[in-house]
Amino acid sequence: MQEVKEKKDAAPCKPEDYELCGHFVSAFKIIGKKWNGLIISSLCDTQDMRFKDLARTVEACSDRVLVERLKELEKDDIVKRSVDQSTGIISYGLTEKGAELKPVFDQVHNWADKWAQAIDIK
């Protein structure tokens, strides 16, 4: 088994040399887009939600933008759209990929409870 030795003389990363990982940037393009975090967070705590319930939860977001964000999240395989065949009721939930964000959002909630001041989003 080989030992991995750290360079003792390695210089700290300089701001001009710093670069974010492409996967990290891609992830934040999804979850960092306005309203997406609140939509995903709302769906983390439920099985499925109807549009009207999501709209009530993220009430400062217009219906038009909410529809747009849900379509984008569906395209990114974060959210799934389901139609009940007997009633025609449409609901939204997280895909397996989206559900894996739950621990991330739990940590954000914990951080927010400790450090962020509550704001009125209306």
Side-chain angles (χ1 to χ4, degrees):
M1 194 185 244
Q2 279 187 324
E3 275 187 48
V4 177
K5 295 183 181 180
E6 291 182 334
K7 289 184 177 180
K8 291 182 182 179
D9 58 351
C13 186
K14 297 178 199 161
E16 62 270 16
D17 296 332
Y18 188 77
E19 196 173 294
L20 289 173
C21 165
H23 292 124
F24 185 81
V25 172
S26 294
F28 265 87
K29 282 184 179 179
I30 297 169
I31 62 175
K33 194 166 190 177
K34 190 169 185 178
W35 306 117
N36 282 1
L38 295 176
I39 294 166
I40 294 167
S41 180
S42 298
L43 293 172
C44 279
D45 296 329
T46 62
Q47 283 291 85
D48 288 326
M49 288 181 88
R50 292 175 64 179
F51 181 86
K52 68 176 187 165
D53 297 323
L54 266 172
R56 182 184 42 79
T57 303
V58 190
E59 65 183 78
C61 180
S62 71
D63 286 355
R64 181 188 61 77
V65 172
L66 182 56
V67 167
E68 184 179 301
R69 293 298 181 268
L70 286 167
K71 285 180 181 179
E72 291 168 358
L73 289 167
E74 189 176 2
K75 182 178 167 240
D76 290 327
D77 196 32
I78 303 290
V79 168
K80 64 180 173 16
R81 180 182 184 267
S82 305
V83 180
D84 184 304
Q85 297 303 323
S86 60
T87 63
I89 293 174
I90 297 169
S91 59
Y92 297 90
L94 295 175
T95 62
E96 181 181 352
K97 180 179 172 181
E100 286 193 19
L101 287 167
K102 184 171 177 16
V104 174
F105 279 86
D106 287 344
Q107 286 298 311
V108 172
H109 280 283
N110 292 338
W111 180 88
D113 288 344
K114 184 174 181 179
W115 296 105
Q117 294 181 13
I119 59 168
D120 185 9
I121 59 170
K122 294 177 187 175

